[in-house]
């Protein structure tokens, strides 16, 4: 691998989710975000392939610590096709999380920038996300502005 | 058509978007929500088919006034496949609008209930949406609760 001028970038490699990432701590990382039970290899593969079918319309990215081979950050974006905005597209960022041991190294910012760039490259007129009040300063640093209220209805 | 006990339900028929709805005022209705230029028949058809490809994972519903043949309400939901929540799914409601001439007849509530029901039937553990502060009482009546802050980055 070519070394860049930035040693952090050499250590933390950002890329698309791969099926082998299940064995690199991907599920354990998601558990730092929300409820995420153990997933069987079969179930993981099935869901991976379901998402894969959407091609560039659903991108999950990860950052791997190349020293440890562990996934230390992730986030996803999917592209919604609309009729409004002259048949425009909107990117939806979901499930961004950085491992607690690697916070403060701008990995979250790299994830969000990667996902926003992907949405832009797919022709989206905007990219949106929902976050807690405490996380709004972080997303403001990533170029986002507060807009509306997220509302939820749980079925379980 | 069998008449129900509810004359409003007989007049306002809720169903999936059909390609012929372009000629029934669907685009003009969306214009009451946000920027929505005139769309050529070809472009409409192309986008319709792109969304159709997602099958039940992207549902756009409309309410037609059977007296006038006009589309008077619409909304969409798409199903996001996740790894969190034991490979769960989340429904995202978008682009809900009711024609200004038919407000106060619970058509918005019928749209939201239809979309939430669709998400539930698809196995979603939750359904989410973003709305203005002023619209939160309406969604509370539909069984939603305020949760987070929506943030946005525009590319155009």
């Amino acid at each position: 691998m070519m070394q860049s001028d930035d040693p952090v970038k050499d250590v933390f490699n950002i890329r698309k989710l791969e099926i082998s990432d299940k064995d690199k701590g991907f599920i354990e990382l998601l558990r730092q975000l929300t409820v995420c039970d153990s997933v069987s290899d079969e179930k993981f593969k099935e869901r991976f392939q379901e998402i894969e079918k959407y091609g560039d319309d659903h991108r999950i990215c990860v950052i791997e610590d190349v020293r440890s081979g562990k996934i230390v950050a992730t986030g996803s974006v999917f592209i919604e096709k609309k009729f409004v905005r002259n048949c425009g597209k909107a990117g939806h960022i979901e499930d961004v999380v950085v491992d607690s041991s690697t916070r403060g190294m701008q990995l979250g910012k790299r994830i969000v920038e990667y996902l926003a760039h992907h949405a832009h490259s797919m022709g989206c007129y905007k990219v949106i996300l929902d976050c807690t009040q405490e996380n709004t300063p972080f997303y403001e640093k990533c170029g986002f502005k507060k807009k509306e209220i997220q509302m939820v209805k749980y079925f379980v």
Side-chain angles (χ1 to χ4, degrees), chain A:
Chain A
M1 187 174 68
M2 274 273 288
Q3 291 224 316
S4 73
D5 292 338
D6 182 346
V8 172
K9 288 211 171 169
D10 290 334
V11 168
F12 296 105
N13 182 30
I14 191 164
R15 58 167 171 76
K16 277 172 71 169
L17 177 71
E18 295 169 3
I19 200 153
S20 54
D21 291 332
K22 179 171 185 294
D23 295 329
K24 295 183 172 184
F26 176 67
I27 296 294
E28 292 74 11
L29 176 64
L30 290 178
R31 210 167 281 154
Q32 295 182 37
L33 179 69
T34 183
V35 181
C36 192
D37 297 338
S38 290
V39 173
S40 69
D41 286 353
E42 198 181 348
K43 196 164 186 174
F44 186 86
K45 191 179 167 194
E46 190 189 331
R47 177 51 44 101
F48 183 88
Q49 288 170 342
E50 282 175 313
I51 294 172
E52 188 98 307
K53 261 194 273 174
Y54 293 127
D56 290 333
D57 287 342
H58 195 160
R59 170 69 54 91
I60 301 178
C61 79
V62 296
I63 292 179
E64 179 178 351
D65 180 336
V66 297
R67 299 164 306 184
S68 63
K70 285 278 167 203
I71 304 303
V72 293
T74 184
S76 73
V77 65
F78 58 83
I79 312 298
E80 177 210 359
K81 288 167 181 145
K82 290 175 175 282
F83 285 102
V84 301
R85 295 273 179 165
N86 201 20
C87 292
K89 297 180 192 175
H92 295 251
I93 291 179
E94 290 281 332
D95 300 340
V96 173
V97 58
V98 176
D99 183 78
S100 53
S101 71
T102 55
R103 288 186 190 152
M105 285 191 269
Q106 309 260 41
L107 301 187
K109 194 157 182 276
R110 275 176 73 194
I111 290 282
V112 173
E113 283 170 354
Y114 177 104
L115 297 172
H117 179 265
H118 180 73
H120 194 185
S121 75
M122 290 294 291
C124 291
Y125 70 92
K126 69 173 181 183
V127 62
I128 62 175
L129 56 85
D130 300 303
C131 69
T132 59
Q133 183 64 50
E134 305 90 84
N135 280 336
T136 57
F138 164 70
Y139 286 108
E140 280 164 352
K141 276 184 225 154
C142 297
F144 285 75
K145 290 196 163 76
K146 286 183 210 171
K147 178 113 196 274
E148 295 194 323
I149 314 291
Q150 184 212 18
M151 302 196 75
V152 63
K153 182 175 194 165
Y154 284 99
F155 298 120
V156 287

